[in-house]
Amino acid sequence: MLSSNLYYRRFFPYWVYNIVAGIDNEGKGAVYSYDPVGSYQRESYRAGGTASAIIQPLLDNQLGYKNQSNVDPTPLTRERVRDMVRDIFAAASERDIYTGDEVEISIIDASGIQTMRFPLRSD
């Protein structure tokens, strides 16, 4: 539906880059990134927004294990991912003035939705 709506506006696009995440039919996490005219791609992880040029290389390194040698890619715990997201956004907020003052992280699982807020800067 999102792809169709974006494609319908292809001559006068919204100029947004959407990211939709969820769980597929096999129970695995799925991340889809969309361009302004509705083309999409399934990925393991993705950054978007004004700080994406700062965040994506960090995700590539920490989640994709790119540019690392002799590293055993082990599954990450929920706590490790939460801390990583918080730290990555804190780093981005120091360099990008449009990244707000707070990050909200929602963890969705079979037991429900848990939402946490973390301040990024205090100046």
Side-chain angles (χ1 to χ4, degrees):
M1 179 153 92
L2 175 60
S3 183
S4 296
N5 285 334
L6 293 172
Y7 185 73
Y8 175 74
R9 297 278 309 201
R10 69 189 175 279
F11 298 115
F12 300 101
Y14 292 116
W15 293 110
V16 294
Y17 294 85
N18 296 286
I19 297 174
V20 177
I23 299 174
D24 65 10
N25 293 335
E26 298 173 0
K28 296 180 180 179
V31 176
Y32 293 90
S33 61
Y34 292 79
D35 71 5
V37 293
S39 297
Y40 65 92
Q41 180 176 353
R42 183 174 178 163
E43 302 174 276
S44 301
Y45 51 87
R46 173 53 97 190
T50 60
S52 62
I54 299 168
I55 295 174
Q56 191 63 45
L58 294 170
L59 293 176
D60 288 340
N61 182 267
Q62 295 297 305
L63 296 178
Y65 299 102
K66 295 182 179 176
N67 299 320
Q68 295 186 36
S69 58
N70 300 325
V71 175
D72 182 28
T74 58
L76 300 170
T77 65
R78 181 176 294 173
E79 292 76 22
R80 174 71 178 115
V81 171
R82 181 199 62 220
D83 293 343
M84 185 185 309
V85 168
R86 184 183 62 217
D87 292 344
I88 287 172
F89 271 93
S93 72
E94 292 297 322
R95 296 285 182 183
D96 180 53
I97 63 171
Y98 301 111
T99 298
D101 296 329
E102 181 178 85
V103 65
E104 181 177 291
I105 301 171
S106 295
I107 298 174
I108 304 169
D109 60 13
S111 63
I113 301 171
Q114 178 187 10
T115 301
M116 298 156 279
R117 293 176 181 234
F118 299 101
L120 296 177
R121 54 182 152 210
S122 57
D123 55 350

